[in-house]
Amino acid sequence: MAEGRFGVGDPVNVLSRAKGRWMRDGVVVSVLAEDAFVEDGTLRMPAGACKVQYDRNRCAKWIPPISLEAEIRPADFEKDDAVSVFCRSMGRWVADGVVLDVWTCPQAL
């Protein structure tokens, strides 16, 4: 997987090692443009690292570029999946969304 594949706001599936399964409600909340210390300066991450939130926003983790392919992948949705939705008027993610329909080809809205 090439660096830069994921951007802030992208929906993703996240591998939860604690739960031993893929969590399908992840979202990329940060992508580092350069090396940085994160988590109050306690963790060094290289450029291209992604922070993801998942499990109804109860969990978050940083993933270095070398682990992106194994730890996250583009989201796939199914009808009735619980999802987080960005509400522009509130300027934040709302965790109570539900997928009503999944289109198999592009649709005009």
Side-chain angles (χ1 to χ4, degrees), residues 89-101:
S89 64
M90 292 191 294
R92 66 182 178 92
W93 287 92
V94 180
D96 64 352
V98 175
V99 174
L100 300 176
D101 197 6

Side-chain angles (χ1 to χ4, degrees), residues 1 4 12 31 66-67 71 73 75 83 92 102 108:
M1 176 180 306
V12 292
V31 178
I66 196 168
S67 300
E71 301 258 350
R73 59 187 182 202
V83 293
R92 66 182 178 92
V102 177

Side-chain angles (χ1 to χ4, degrees), residues 12-23:
V12 292
N13 293 341
V14 181
L15 180 61
S16 170
R17 296 192 185 284
K19 295 189 181 210
R21 65 185 173 94
W22 286 93
M23 305 301 289

Side-chain angles (χ1 to χ4, degrees), residues 42-62:
T42 60
L43 179 65
R44 185 177 185 278
M45 280 283 135
C50 293
K51 183 175 184 178
V52 294
Q53 286 184 314
Y54 58 99
D55 197 12
R56 297 183 182 200
N57 293 329
R58 291 182 290 217
C59 297
K61 67 178 176 178
W62 280 96

